[in-house]
Amino acid sequence: MSPLNLPDQGRAPAEPIIDDPKRRGAILLAVCIALMAVIAAVSGLNVAQPQMALALDGSQGDVLWIINIYAITLAALLLPLGAVGDRWGRKPVLLIGLLLFGVANVASGLAFSVPVMLGARLLAGVGGAMIMPVTLSVITSAFPAEERSKAIGIWTGVAGGGGILGMFLSALLVDVLDWRWLFVLPVILMIAAALLSLRAIPNSREHSAHRFDLGGAVLAAVAVVGLILFLHEGPVEGWTAPITLVGLVAGVAASIGFALWELRHPAPLLDIRLFAKRSLTSGSVTLLVWFGVQAGVFVVLFPFFQAVLGWSGLLATLGLMPMAILMMVSSALAAKVAKAIGQRLTMALGMVLGGSGLALMSMLVSVDAGYVGVLPGMIAMGLGMGLSMAPSTEAITSSLPRDRQGVASALNDVTREFGTSLGVALLGAMFTSGYGSAIARRLVGVPADVAAEVSKGIAGALDLANDEASAGVLLSAREAFVEAWQQAMWAGVVVMALLLVFVLLRGPRHQEAMA
């Protein structure tokens, strides 16, 4: 038996697929509703930072930890809890996760202190980590091959566009009602998903003769926490700060330990040898890079709308909607394109569109061009994301057996989280450095105190723009912002070009059948 088939040893066949189209539709609706709530919770609180800090009597650092503790907990527990779903049964794990997530959001909405809010958000992360892998593994394990690609495309569209939709709905609720209403929508979505899940979702699971890989689960969680902490804290505290270095050392050490442990375990959480498959490697690398580039774009795109164009938070999130909608549409269509030209060329086509979108943004963006200058690039990127991400997700899930789809789905989700953290850290740092260089050339003759404030970022220029004399400084800051953005986008073009070459050489040769 090939080493690549080791995860199948000691397991009975998985439960049969669902043939009823109406039931499959109900399953897809249930998991997409649950997924939307989990994804939106990552970005939703960003629009309510000032109001939340005031209500909870917290500092800016407290607010950032309230936001980050959810994302870190979610990422750390995805792989272990995805495997738990495979072992215990995907339906009960999903229902428990929905319950925890709903309770956590009720507690968040009622919280009146920072410690209570932190605890509630941590609990929400645990619930989200139980929900997210199951939403994809139910599709890949229960849908027939001829319907699976289309369903994965829809799931991918929700996973990619849910963050932007969540930001828009959150901004709308904050503007119209109150920031505490941000936690009402997830509760409603959880109730709807639970009711649909009880009726439609099958309780598929693996049947293993071996013990659960607890050691691998712990090492995986430590590795993810350490590396994401390193990427989160590096740009803020400094890359040589103690907390940053601790995260890096812990993450690298646990990653090495995880790989060695998994190679020796009779029933590993994730068999490392599976990465010899072209589909798993190319799919993972593609998602890592795409989510990194997407996050890097959002780091500058949202502030561009607000600081350069002067838009409100609600209008800025609305400005992102064309990209989100087109990404969801192209994700749904990716299955048909892949059927016609293959997974590898579909992924490559998405990368060409994505790279073109970044190049268009860099060439057309300016202070005077406004929204029209970035819209063509956003359209190309939205189309490219959907075409690349959907077949990449299927490439990952098809690389593992059907009874290990919780782990496959969790690996897909962890890759997305790592990509996002990498993009924010690396492209964000490149943008910050570019802004510093660009603004320095434009501040000759400006008073030292004003120059120091404006050099920190465009927000400093906005605070000073209260008279006619400072209008020139604000214009210089906006021009420096655009110049730094152009440099970051060209770096993204280079990254996408390298990814394109990699996928053309090492992408999946054909669409693999799930074991």
Side-chain angles (χ1 to χ4, degrees), residues 456-479:
K456 295 178 182 178
I458 195 170
L462 289 172
D463 290 339
L464 295 171
N466 53 10
D467 55 44
E468 191 172 323
S470 59
V473 174
L474 177 58
L475 178 60
S476 296
R478 286 171 169 167
E479 291 174 346

Side-chain angles (χ1 to χ4, degrees), residues 152 156 160 286-287 290-291 294 327 331 347 384-394 412 416:
I152 289 175
T156 303
T286 298
L287 286 183
W290 254 115
F291 271 83
Q294 180 193 42
M327 199 218 72
S331 292
M347 292 161 66
M385 281 190 285
L387 288 176
S388 285
M389 289 179 183
S392 298
T393 296
E394 187 170 11
N412 173 81
R416 292 165 178 260

Side-chain angles (χ1 to χ4, degrees), residues 18 24 69 99 160 174 179 210 230 252 267 340 475:
I18 303 298
R24 290 200 303 266
I69 197 171
L99 176 62
V174 170
W179 71 273
H210 298 286
F230 165 70
V252 171
L475 178 60

